[in-house]
């Protein structure tokens, strides 16, 4: 059996085309992912948040280091103290304070025991850093997913545009055949009018899908940071997904689960920090400076220094500690419930994406088989009409069946690509790419 050029091109597209074109297409998609990752403002802000949390973590560690502070003091007393007494032998003695009092000093202090407040603050800061890293990874995965969906949507619209162009050519060829038959007196002019109406509908459909393609490409340009009017290159067709794609395995631990776990750690550290307020606090300090009046009632600046240890022991807080602890325990329970919800939701997303991908691949095979049969049916109907064996309506129906089969194939391949992207996102496989 002799195959028509259209059917031969279709078979080459389905079999050889994806194998040849897939590396170039994958490289385009990878390129657009990288462009979007470099352009996205939310991702840039998330990266800055990581750096900010890292700085706060270093600041929390600095609380273990001794602190040095300096200060000054200046006072004027309108009525200074005055003391008079009568001493034996010596006689009357009068001591009078000065109006002016001033000085400068420096204090060096070192916390010795804070009840776990400093270590809890450090662990809290570390948890915040890990949370910001998980949020960054979540945004990155979400952005890659959006790029994949938008890219495959644009490719699908371009393929639909090719389908519309092919249908327009087929209707134009049929119109030429009918016109020749009308001129030869072999059929009524009504058949020509019917085909001309179909020709106009095919043009209308082509204009519509072309507009959809251009708007989709503008949306893709907006994601990757290109000018909206740029003619960003995309693949001409949707490649088929290889078998076993639904068995993809992603990262060991999804960032959303890590984020939920870090929320639990953060609440536990918050509990430790809160408990530290109700434990003894001990610090050692040294103070030195120059003061006037100095010791022994010296009028000028005189050096002096002090060493001291300060201990603070909370005794009674009216039940405040107990209430705050219970509130913190409730927050820990809420975070644990959130972790369980996230695990359940991710498991559902993975299973749903795998099932949907498997079903979409089955639809691709079925749609490809139907398309091959629709092409053969269209070819036979056109030949029989040229021989006068069937009516024009049967040929038009055959063309519509073929166009519907092509649209179904494009829709099935698009669904498979989108479900594959959903699986990559649910398994955090984008991090491995």
């Amino acid at each position: 059996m002799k195959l028509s050029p259209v059917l031969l091109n279709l078979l080459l597209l389905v079999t050889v085309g994806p194998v040849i074109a897939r590396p170039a297409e994958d490289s385009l998609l990878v390129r657009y992912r990288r462009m979007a990752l470099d352009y996205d403002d939310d991702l840039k802000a998330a990266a800055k948040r990581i750096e900010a949390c890292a700085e706060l973590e270093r600041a929390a560690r600095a609380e273990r280091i001794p602190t040095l502070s300096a200060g000054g003091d200046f006072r004027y007393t309108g009525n200074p103290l005055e003391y008079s007494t009568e001493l034996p032998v010596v006689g009357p003695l009068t001591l009078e304070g000065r109006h002016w009092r001033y000085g400068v000093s420096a204090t060096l202090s070192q916390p010795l025991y804070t009840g776990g407040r400093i270590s809890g603050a450090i662990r809290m800061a570390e948890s915040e850093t890990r949370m910001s890293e998980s949020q960054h990874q979540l945004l990155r995965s979400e952005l890659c997913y959006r790029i994949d969906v938008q890219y495959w949507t644009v490719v699908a619209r371009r393929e639909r545009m090719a389908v519309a162009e092919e249908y327009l050519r087929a209707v134009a060829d049929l119109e030429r055949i009918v016109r020749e038959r009308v001129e030869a007196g072999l059929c009524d002019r009504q058949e020509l009018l019917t085909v001309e109406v179909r020709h106009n509908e095919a043009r209308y459909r082509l204009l519509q899908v072309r507009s959809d393609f251009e708007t989709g490409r503008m949306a893709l340009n907006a994601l990757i940071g290109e000018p909206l009017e740029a003619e960003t290159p995309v693949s001409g067709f949707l490649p088929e997904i290889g078998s076993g794609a639904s068995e993809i395995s992603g990262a060991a631990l999804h960032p959303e689960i890590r984020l939920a776990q870090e929320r639990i750690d953060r609440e536990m550290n918050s509990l430790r920090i809160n408990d530290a307020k109700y434990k003894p606090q001990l610090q050692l300090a040294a103070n030195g400076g120059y003061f006037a009046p100095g010791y022994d009632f010296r009028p000028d600046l005189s050096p002096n220094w002090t060493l001291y240890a300060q201990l603070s022991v909370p005794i009674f807080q009216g039940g405040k500690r107990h209430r705050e602890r219970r509130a913190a325990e409730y927050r820990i329970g809420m975070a644990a419930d959130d972790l369980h919800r996230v695990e359940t939701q991710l498991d559902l997303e993975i299973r749903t994406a795998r099932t949907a991908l498997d079903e979409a691949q089955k639809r691709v095979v079925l749609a490809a088989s139907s398309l091959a049969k629709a092409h053969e049916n269209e070819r036979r109907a056109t030949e029989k009409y040229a021989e006068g064996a069937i009516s024009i309506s049967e040929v038009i129906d055959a063309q519509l069946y073929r166009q519907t089969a092509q649209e179904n194939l494009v829709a099935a391949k698009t669904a498979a690509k989108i479900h594959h992207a959903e699986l990559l996102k649910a398994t955090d496989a984008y991090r491995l790419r």
Side-chain angles (χ1 to χ4, degrees):
M1 180 180 67
K2 184 178 179 180
L3 296 176
S4 66
V6 174
L7 182 58
L8 182 59
N9 290 335
L10 174 67
L11 293 176
L12 290 175
L13 185 67
V14 173
T15 57
V16 180
V19 177
I20 296 176
R22 185 165 186 176
E25 179 183 57
D26 286 348
S27 64
L28 275 178
L29 182 56
V30 171
R31 173 190 169 191
Y32 295 153
R33 283 177 188 165
R34 291 174 179 171
M35 291 174 66
L37 293 175
D38 293 336
Y39 176 74
D40 188 70
D41 291 330
D42 290 338
L43 208 59
K44 293 178 181 178
K48 291 182 175 65
R49 176 179 171 81
I50 294 176
E51 297 299 328
C53 290
E55 292 297 332
L56 291 177
E57 181 182 338
R58 299 185 188 99
R61 295 181 185 277
E63 289 197 35
R64 289 177 170 172
I65 303 174
T67 59
L68 177 64
S69 60
D73 179 64
F74 177 83
R75 298 180 185 180
Y76 178 82
T77 304
N79 297 301
L81 294 175
E82 184 175 326
Y83 176 73
S84 300
T85 185
E86 185 74 24
L87 297 179
V89 182
V90 177
L93 176 64
T94 301
L95 299 176
E96 182 179 357
R98 296 186 175 274
H99 294 278
W100 301 96
R101 178 179 175 83
Y102 57 93
V104 294
S105 64
T107 302
L108 179 67
S109 62
Q110 170 66 56
L112 298 182
Y113 179 73
T114 61
R117 179 184 60 83
I118 295 179
S119 59
I122 293 174
R123 286 194 292 266
M124 174 79 82
E126 292 173 343
S127 181
E128 290 288 346
T129 301
R130 291 191 295 268
M131 287 178 64
S132 62
E133 291 172 350
S134 297
Q135 289 171 342
H136 181 273
Q137 182 57 38
L138 271 178
L139 287 173
R140 184 183 184 279
S141 180
E142 178 65 29
L143 182 59
C144 289
Y145 168 73
R146 289 166 53 197
I147 287 295
D148 280 20
V149 170
Q150 188 60 43
Y151 178 80
W152 295 125
T153 300
V154 174
V155 173
R157 291 179 179 180
R158 181 171 181 177
E159 189 168 347
R160 287 192 178 96
M161 189 169 63
V163 171
E165 291 173 347
E166 183 180 347
Y167 178 68
L168 179 61
R169 288 192 298 268
V171 174
D173 292 340
L174 180 61
E175 182 182 358
R176 177 181 53 79
I177 295 174
V178 174
R179 181 174 283 107
E180 291 175 354
R181 287 176 59 82
V182 169
E183 292 174 354
L186 299 177
C187 65
D188 188 80
R189 181 171 175 76
Q190 184 179 2
E191 294 186 358
L192 179 59
L193 294 175
T194 302
V195 177
E196 287 176 346
V197 171
R198 290 295 178 182
H199 196 180
N200 289 337
E201 290 179 353
R203 290 173 179 170
Y204 178 85
R205 173 62 179 168
L206 179 58
L207 291 175
Q208 186 179 37
V209 296
R210 185 172 292 163
S211 175
D212 292 341
F213 169 71
E214 292 299 334
T215 55
R217 185 158 61 178
M218 284 192 292
L220 178 63
N221 289 337
L223 287 175
I224 63 178
E226 288 291 295
L228 296 182
E229 66 278 4
E231 296 184 0
T232 304
V234 296
S235 176
F237 59 90
L238 290 160
E240 295 183 11
I241 301 177
S243 60
S246 61
E247 300 302 323
I248 184 173
S249 58
L253 192 61
H254 197 278
E256 196 166 355
I257 294 179
R258 293 200 304 270
L259 187 60
Q261 291 176 340
E262 291 301 332
R263 290 193 183 103
I264 297 177
D265 291 341
R266 182 182 63 181
E267 296 299 337
M268 294 179 66
N269 290 324
S270 178
L271 174 61
R272 297 188 185 99
I273 294 174
N274 185 73
D275 280 346
K277 296 189 302 182
Y278 304 100
K279 294 180 180 179
Q281 309 286 320
L282 176 63
Q283 70 170 349
L284 184 65
N287 177 271
Y290 285 84
F291 307 94
Y295 56 90
D296 291 340
F297 300 100
R298 295 180 181 180
D300 298 328
L301 287 172
S302 302
N304 209 336
W305 53 271
T306 305
L307 292 177
Y308 62 92
Q310 185 174 1
L311 176 65
S312 173
V313 182
I315 297 177
F316 177 72
Q317 301 292 334
K320 183 179 178 181
R321 176 183 182 181
H322 177 68
R323 301 298 181 186
E324 290 182 350
R325 183 176 183 85
R326 288 192 63 183
E329 290 173 349
Y330 281 127
R331 288 194 296 268
I332 293 174
M334 291 167 58
D337 293 338
D338 184 64
L339 173 60
H340 181 264
R341 178 192 60 80
V342 169
E343 291 174 340
T344 303
Q345 183 64 30
L346 281 176
D347 184 59
L348 176 61
E349 289 180 8
I350 293 173
R351 291 176 183 270
T352 301
R354 281 177 175 163
T355 302
L357 178 56
D358 289 337
E359 294 299 322
Q361 288 180 298
K362 293 177 183 178
R363 293 198 299 270
V364 169
V365 175
L366 183 60
S369 175
S370 298
L371 179 57
K373 295 176 182 178
H375 267 289
E376 180 64 19
N377 180 51
E378 180 186 7
R379 184 185 67 81
R380 289 179 178 272
T382 304
E383 291 176 353
K384 288 183 178 181
Y385 176 76
E387 297 171 357
I390 60 174
S391 64
I392 189 62
S393 60
E394 294 183 65
V395 181
I396 293 175
D397 289 342
Q399 290 179 339
L400 290 175
Y401 292 153
R402 187 262 303 164
Q403 185 191 29
T404 301
Q406 285 180 316
E407 291 283 352
N408 290 340
L409 179 59
V410 173
K413 291 193 294 183
T414 304
K417 283 295 184 181
I418 292 178
H419 291 317
H420 185 247
E422 291 173 352
L423 183 59
L424 291 175
K425 177 176 174 288
T427 57
D428 193 32
Y430 282 118
R431 187 155 61 96
L432 306 177
R433 290 174 174 257

